[in-house]
Amino acid sequence: MPLSKLNPAQREAITYLDGPLLVLAGAGSGKTRVIVHKLAYLVEQCGYSARNIAAITFTNKAANEMRERVGKLLSGGNAKGMTISTFHALGMQILREEASLIGYKKQFSIFDSADTAKIISELLGSPDKQDIRQAQSMMSNWKANFISPEHAHSLVDTEAEQRIALLYSRYQETLRAYQAVDFDDLIRLPVDLFKSHPEALLRWQQRLRYLLIDEYQDTNDCQYQMMTLLAGNRAALTAVGDDDQAIYAWRGASTANLQNLQKDHPNLRVIKLEQNYRSSQRILQSANNVIKNNTKLFEKKLWSEHGLGDQVRIFAARDDDNEAESVVLRLLAHKFEHRTHFADYAILYRSNHLSRVFEEHLRAQNVPYTVSGGTSFFERAEIKDLVAYLRLIANPDDDPAFIRAVTTPKRGIGNSTLEKLASYAGTRNISLFEAAFEGPMEEQLPARQHEELITFCNFINRMEARAAKEECAPVLADLMSAIDYEAWLFDSHEPRQAESKWSNVSDFIGWINRKSEADGKTLLAMTQTIALMNLLEGKNEEVDAVSLSTLHAAKGLEFGHVYLVGVEEGVLPHERSELPEQIEEERRLMYVGITRAQRSLHISYCIKRKRGKEWAACEASRFIKELPEGDVIFAGAVATGNSPEVSKEEGKAKLARLKAMLG
């Protein structure tokens, strides 16, 4: 698409190169289009080499989409070498290349939240999930704000927080002993590295000469510092974001970074993208009306050429069961009437637990649906088993991976062997893998167990030697046949379950082989990439199904018809939101929900809802009162205006007539 096809604001955002730029991109305003065209413009019109440009975003899915679109815009191999990645993937690349400067080896392990939960559980001496989550969350926020374990002690008040501050330094020591990092370290450590090793910073500044940052409003302090250091005095950067869609304060994101950008760069240019290509005018008027109640850093107003569109329908349900039934029946009636697809519909809610009753009613009507934020492919036991082997081959000091791999499939090495190994490794301050080869271990273990242990470790060493230089496919095939994983699955599970698990493993292996071939990576290089990828994001299979999603997970998506449910005080805004800034964040969530809709928007709330065994009265959310009167129409249990309540029987009768008519 030539630049002439873009609107004036988009064109200006693409061609502006006279200093740092902030593009305020409203919902549906063609943000990704601007980013990919700017990447192409830098290469084709401005003489930048692709390898000197980086586009940084938050999800693998967004990075993949950008990569694909830039590839189509740039002819030949002109996009080759361009860095299009998440913040975490860029952090990983920096750490891998500069590992020796911070005392890590190149093939360090990346621990996910399940790995870190295990470590925290052991250090706390408690399996309590709530305690573990609280510790994870506090340490994550400390890292994002560059608070060291020493400094954390002076910031805590309660006894519980003091325990976590004490835990923090032991947790970091444990990670280092395993030659591992967690997700927060992937951003924090590069910043520490750049501050203490100017020569490394200079290397990366010379490599990445122009930066584009996507979803800028979602950056935390750590990411802001990483970006600022990389941009350096040259400040050749474009940040693209929307302060009205800043909904991640709970994980450390800070809208203050919009002010920081202005403060740190007095010559910052701000360009607003206000033309929306997604929604009808009524939906946008509703969004504008709600969000204008927030304090604003930058004023902007979305508009569209899509015409006025349908009124926003607001439905008051008797209770949550009535709400779910009514939404599903109205969705089906709408689908029959307009001959649309299931994939054109989304049911969006503030909290995960609200989905259950909608799932029940969708199943009762045989409606296909998908739930976002469900179990990721990576959380499945069979995938974690295989990944444990890959992690261990890449980094033998990764103790959690060692324990999982050496016991799955079972090979005569039980808990008592592992306990002796662990206590010996502890006294020597070495990894379990290293301890296995030391003389005293042979004396402490029965001959058969010791032999099994050494056989396993030698096997891992042989695989490591091959994984560093051979192609992926043969190494993986030999690994799978040596551990005989398929036979073990069928021995230890019901046939159907084993088949399903083996099918997942085969999919996973196929994906690794394809990706390693496409990217020219060995199995060793793939292992760290895998740790950063959520495989489901890479499995873009389009299915014709209704989407059920939290508002957080729906950001960035769009649907023909949106049902925004549970819009009540205590749900949206959430009951824990009391401070003005918390209410403003909840209002931004409402705004995100409204702006997912292209053609029709349906909002519902309950008059009463079950809380435990008791019924509690509910009140419509204050955000409903902020909608423009002329653009909404009320129906349901407390219908006002010209919309009489439709009874369940009438709804079903209408549905039956529609079905008969379309039959």
Side-chain angles (χ1 to χ4, degrees):
M1 181 195 285
L3 295 189
S4 58
K5 296 252 180 85
L6 301 166
N7 70 41
Q10 289 174 330
R11 266 201 306 280
E12 190 187 357
I14 289 161
T15 55
Y16 183 81
L17 291 171
D18 296 337
L21 169 67
L22 172 61
V23 180
L24 284 172
S29 62
K31 160 181 81 86
T32 308
R33 189 186 307 161
V34 166
I35 293 172
V36 297
H37 274 80
K38 186 151 196 167
L39 290 170
Y41 180 76
L42 288 167
V43 173
E44 289 187 328
Q45 308 290 320
C46 310
Y48 276 86
S49 164
R51 68 172 182 279
N52 294 138
I53 302 170
I56 309 169
T57 183
F58 276 81
T59 65
N60 296 316
K61 190 175 175 208
N64 289 339
E65 186 189 346
M66 267 182 217
R67 219 171 281 124
E68 218 169 273
R69 286 168 68 169
V70 171
K72 284 178 187 161
L73 276 182
L74 285 172
S75 53
N78 280 353
K80 202 169 171 54
M82 193 181 282
T83 298
I84 300 179
S85 75
T86 62
F87 270 101
H88 292 95
L90 178 62
M92 179 189 82
Q93 195 186 339
I94 292 166
L95 291 180
R96 201 157 66 195
E97 291 187 30
E98 310 291 349
S100 59
L101 291 178
I102 53 165
Y104 271 85
K105 56 186 181 191
K106 264 186 171 31
Q107 292 297 339
F108 54 82
S109 295
I110 299 166
F111 280 8
D112 64 13
S113 62
D115 295 317
T116 60
K118 215 166 180 180
I119 294 170
I120 291 166
S121 170
E122 281 163 16
L123 293 174
L124 279 174
S126 153
D128 185 82
K129 283 199 169 73
Q130 191 61 39
D131 288 352
I132 292 167
R133 266 202 296 271
Q134 189 190 0
Q136 279 178 315
S137 165
M138 278 189 81
M139 292 193 294
S140 179
N141 282 333
W142 283 333
K143 286 187 179 190
N145 291 299
F146 289 97
I147 294 164
S148 66
E150 299 72 40
H151 186 192
H153 285 289
S154 60
L155 298 175
V156 292
D157 305 318
T158 66
E159 204 176 310
E161 288 174 349
Q162 279 166 352
R163 270 181 80 199
I164 296 170
L166 280 169
L167 175 89
Y168 185 17
S169 57
R170 289 167 61 213
Y171 170 76
Q172 283 304 98
E173 284 162 19
T174 309
L175 283 185
R176 196 165 264 284
Y178 291 159
Q179 281 283 301
V181 299
D182 63 19
F183 264 40
D184 299 301
D185 288 332
L186 289 172
I187 312 291
R188 185 184 65 89
L189 287 173
V191 173
D192 285 347
L193 167 86
F194 288 156
K195 285 179 173 173
S196 49
H197 296 277
E199 74 285 5
L201 175 59
L202 189 62
R203 259 197 304 278
W204 284 89
Q205 284 174 340
Q206 286 171 341
R207 185 190 301 193
L208 304 178
R209 303 185 73 81
Y210 199 96
L211 299 179
L212 275 111
I213 315 294
D214 183 24
E215 301 287 9
Y216 177 73
Q217 75 285 346
D218 293 341
T219 53
N220 60 29
D221 185 43
C222 227
Q223 287 155 334
Y224 181 76
Q225 290 202 40
M226 182 176 172
M227 178 192 91
T228 307
L229 285 162
L230 281 170
N233 296 331
R234 213 174 37 232
L237 73 100
T238 294
V240 183
D242 181 6
D243 47 338
D244 291 333
Q245 294 186 71
I247 55 173
Y248 286 113
W250 52 276
R251 67 176 190 202
S254 168
T255 43
N257 284 343
L258 290 158
Q259 285 161 305
N260 291 340
L261 206 55
Q262 280 191 308
K263 190 173 86 240
D264 294 344
H265 303 287
N267 61 333
L268 180 75
R269 179 69 183 274
V270 179
I271 295 172
K272 298 176 189 177
L273 303 183
E274 296 172 295
Q275 181 174 358
N276 171 288
Y277 292 91
R278 177 185 296 159
S279 310
S280 67
Q281 197 59 36
R282 272 202 169 112
I283 290 169
L284 293 183
Q285 281 162 198
S286 297
N288 288 334
N289 239 48
V290 167
I291 205 68
K292 74 178 185 197
N293 293 286
N294 272 6
T295 47
K296 307 281 279 186
L297 209 67
F298 303 98
E299 282 299 332
K300 72 172 184 318
K301 204 165 188 183
L302 295 179
W303 59 276
S304 140
E305 291 178 341
H306 277 318
L308 200 54
D310 294 345
Q311 283 178 300
V312 174
R313 295 184 167 273
I314 296 169
F315 179 80
R318 290 190 299 276
D319 53 41
D320 47 357
D321 190 65
N322 173 237
E323 179 185 36
E325 182 178 42
S326 138
V327 163
V328 172
L329 287 177
R330 283 182 298 141
L331 184 154
L332 281 170
H334 190 282
K335 182 179 182 297
F336 278 117
E337 204 167 339
H338 297 275
R339 295 178 177 248
T340 47
H341 298 285
F342 284 120
D344 296 328
Y345 296 86
I347 299 172
L348 307 180
Y349 34 81
R350 170 67 177 86
S351 303
N352 262 315
H353 69 88
L354 294 172
S355 77
R356 191 183 54 80
V357 64
F358 290 92
E359 289 189 59
E360 284 170 8
H361 281 279
L362 288 165
R363 280 201 299 270
Q365 297 289 345
N366 294 322
V367 176
Y369 66 89
T370 59
V371 183
S372 78
T375 307
S376 93
F377 194 74
F378 257 122
E379 292 305 306
R380 298 175 189 200
E382 60 274 21
I383 303 301
K384 293 195 106 158
D385 289 343
L386 185 47
V387 169
Y389 278 91
L390 301 183
R391 277 170 40 179
L392 188 60
I393 288 165
N395 170 19
D397 292 331
D398 185 337
D399 281 0
F402 178 89
I403 291 166
R404 187 161 193 139
V406 81
T407 54
T408 318
K410 303 257 185 301
R411 48 173 59 78
I413 299 166
N415 281 350
S416 64
T417 304
L418 288 174
E419 275 165 25
K420 285 175 187 164
L421 190 62
S423 82
Y424 176 75
T427 60
R428 292 270 292 108
N429 201 19
I430 54 178
S431 68
L432 298 174
F433 191 89
E434 203 178 326
F437 287 103
E438 299 217 337
M441 273 325 296
E442 191 170 357
E443 295 150 30
Q444 287 187 34
L445 293 175
R448 186 161 164 268
Q449 269 81 343
H450 185 257
E451 192 187 331
E452 288 277 9
L453 194 58
I454 295 300
T455 304
F456 173 76
C457 293
N458 283 332
F459 164 67
I460 295 295
N461 278 334
R462 285 197 305 279
M463 287 317 245
E464 183 185 6
R466 292 181 58 192
K469 51 183 191 288
E470 291 182 34
E471 285 184 1
C472 234
V475 182
L476 260 180
D478 290 351
L479 171 71
M480 294 313 288
S481 95
I483 66 175
D484 211 3
Y485 191 79
E486 185 181 9
W488 175 78
L489 274 180
F490 280 88
D491 286 345
S492 42
H493 296 88
E494 295 288 317
R496 275 180 65 179
Q497 199 184 7
E499 262 166 42
S500 153
K501 284 175 177 289
W502 181 246
S503 157
N504 288 334
V505 169
S506 304
D507 281 356
F508 183 56
I509 291 171
W511 174 81
I512 293 176
N513 288 337
R514 285 193 303 279
K515 186 142 183 70
S516 68
E517 197 177 334
D519 299 353
K521 285 183 173 173
T522 62
L523 186 57
L524 226 50
M526 279 298 296
T527 301
Q528 283 176 324
T529 311
I530 289 166
L532 279 183
M533 294 203 74
N534 178 330
L535 213 80
L536 275 190
E537 288 191 337
K539 276 195 148 185
N540 294 323
E541 285 171 19
E542 293 294 320
V543 288
D544 188 25
V546 174
S547 290
L548 266 64
S549 173
T550 61
L551 289 165
H552 283 99
K555 189 160 88 83
L557 305 178
E558 58 187 23
F559 304 93
H561 312 281
V562 166
Y563 291 81
L564 196 47
V565 302
V567 186
E568 297 144 32
E569 288 295 306
V571 179
L572 181 69
H574 196 276
E575 59 193 350
R576 285 201 298 273
S577 305
E578 291 159 13
L579 302 170
E581 60 267 29
Q582 290 172 320
I583 292 293
E584 293 206 343
E585 172 131 349
E586 294 293 305
R587 187 176 283 111
R588 292 195 288 270
L589 263 178
M590 178 78 176
Y591 174 84
V592 165
I594 293 171
T595 54
R596 297 313 93 201
Q598 294 167 309
R599 295 291 153 265
S600 75
L601 174 65
H602 311 256
I603 295 171
S604 59
Y605 66 94
C606 297
I607 289 169
K608 61 177 183 183
R609 192 179 277 280
K610 263 266 172 74
R611 294 274 160 92
K613 289 185 177 170
E614 300 296 311
W615 284 101
C618 303
E619 188 189 337
S621 168
R622 68 193 75 182
F623 305 144
I624 289 179
K625 300 180 184 78
E626 294 171 359
L627 295 165
E629 274 179 29
D631 290 329
V632 300
I633 181 166
F634 286 87
V638 285
T640 57
N642 59 355
S643 304
E645 179 185 350
V646 178
S647 75
K648 191 167 30 170
E649 281 63 40
E650 284 176 280
K652 282 184 170 168
K654 182 183 178 190
L655 191 61
R657 284 198 300 278
L658 280 163
K659 280 183 175 173
M661 187 175 77
L662 291 163

